[in-house]
Amino acid sequence: MFKFKGISSTDMQVVIEEEEHFIARASQRYEVTEIEGKDGAIFYELGYAYVERPIYVQCLNINKIDDILAWLNGEGEFEYKGRKTTARFYSQLEPQRNACIRIIDTTFIRDPFWFKIDDDYIEITDNITNEGNIESRPILKLEK
């Protein structure tokens, strides 16, 4: 089960084939400079790219097709397994009949990083500790 724009897939009566596509790791962007006479190359890391994956949305209630098409449109907050990120659905959605259900073949695009849904801000006076498994920049909240 996932939520997009605050609405769950259970409420919309949809099932995603291969939900594991949501959790793919983002690729790292880079530039390479090769210099004649130098062994190897110089790599410049440019941060992480967005994640784009094809997904198949199975619509269990064909009476909700219009609502589903409106829901899976544009950008919104996406929640999955206790984490959240920003996701986007920009491709054309065209439901196709498959027995008594409709399947929508679309593309899921999300930001490279996930954040905890219930992430609390902690007051820092000295050092910042990254609790994740990827080197990243901290999110800072400044209070007056």
Side-chain angles (χ1 to χ4, degrees), residues 1-2 8-20 22 55-61 64 68 71-72 80 89 101-106:
M1 196 244 350
F2 68 92
S8 75
S9 56
T10 305
D11 292 342
M12 294 303 283
Q13 297 180 333
V14 299
V15 175
I16 303 297
E17 225 177 87
E18 305 292 335
E19 278 191 355
E20 293 77 32
F22 294 148
I55 62 169
Y56 298 99
V57 181
Q58 298 176 2
C59 307
L60 304 178
N61 182 348
K64 292 191 118 197
I68 294 166
W71 174 54
L72 298 178
Y80 182 67
F89 290 91
I101 63 171
R102 300 289 190 275
I103 295 182
I104 300 171
D105 179 4
T106 188

Side-chain angles (χ1 to χ4, degrees), residues 10-97:
T10 305
D11 292 342
M12 294 303 283
Q13 297 180 333
V14 299
V15 175
I16 303 297
E17 225 177 87
E18 305 292 335
E19 278 191 355
E20 293 77 32
H21 285 295
F22 294 148
I23 57 175
R25 186 182 71 80
S27 64
Q28 206 166 5
R29 296 178 300 131
Y30 62 91
E31 284 183 1
V32 177
T33 301
E34 295 186 36
I35 300 171
E36 194 170 323
K38 176 181 176 14
D39 294 332
I42 299 171
F43 286 82
Y44 302 98
E45 295 177 357
L46 304 174
Y48 288 87
Y50 59 89
V51 175
E52 184 173 0
R53 293 283 182 265
I55 62 169
Y56 298 99
V57 181
Q58 298 176 2
C59 307
L60 304 178
N61 182 348
I62 59 173
N63 295 324
K64 292 191 118 197
I65 290 289
D66 289 335
D67 295 334
I68 294 166
L69 296 177
W71 174 54
L72 298 178
N73 184 26
E75 179 179 301
E77 185 174 86
F78 187 87
E79 297 179 18
Y80 182 67
K81 290 190 174 181
R83 302 179 287 184
K84 65 181 178 181
T85 189
T86 300
R88 295 154 188 90
F89 290 91
Y90 289 143
S91 58
Q92 176 179 337
L93 302 179
E94 188 176 334
Q96 303 197 0
R97 179 190 290 235

